[in-house]
Amino acid sequence: CGKVIDVALGHSFCAECAKKVFEVRTCKNCGTAFEITFGEMDFMQKNDMFLPAHCKHCRASKRERSTGGDMNV
């Protein structure tokens, strides 16, 4: 887009572009379509993480089950 970004802060995209959809995926658990933004993709790549295969709701449910409902663990 040509906007100035703050590379020193670790940004690869301007705030507007980071919110744009990079990819639409289908949740492997519930079949719901969910979006991954350029910002999320960039964060995950920089932290050597895989892009999610499950929607945010299914990921949150899995975390809740694994912590016994206590999110302060």
Side-chain angles (χ1 to χ4, degrees):
C1 71
K3 292 183 182 174
V4 176
I5 57 171
D6 193 343
V7 179
L9 292 176
H11 299 284
S12 298
F13 302 98
C14 72
E16 187 177 315
C17 289
K19 294 177 185 175
K20 291 182 181 178
V21 176
F22 166 72
E23 184 175 79
V24 176
R25 291 187 160 201
T26 302
C27 179
K28 292 190 182 239
N29 188 45
C30 69
T32 300
F34 66 98
E35 298 175 343
I36 298 173
T37 65
F38 278 95
E40 292 168 328
M41 179 271 306
D42 187 50
F43 173 82
M44 290 176 188
Q45 282 184 341
K46 286 179 180 177
N47 290 287
D48 294 323
M49 300 166 68
F50 292 107
L51 293 177
H54 300 89
C55 67
K56 289 181 181 183
H57 175 75
C58 288
R59 292 193 313 260
S61 294
K62 182 179 179 180
R63 278 193 303 274
E64 188 174 312
R65 285 191 308 274
S66 69
T67 61
D70 185 6
M71 295 302 287
N72 295 323
V73 172

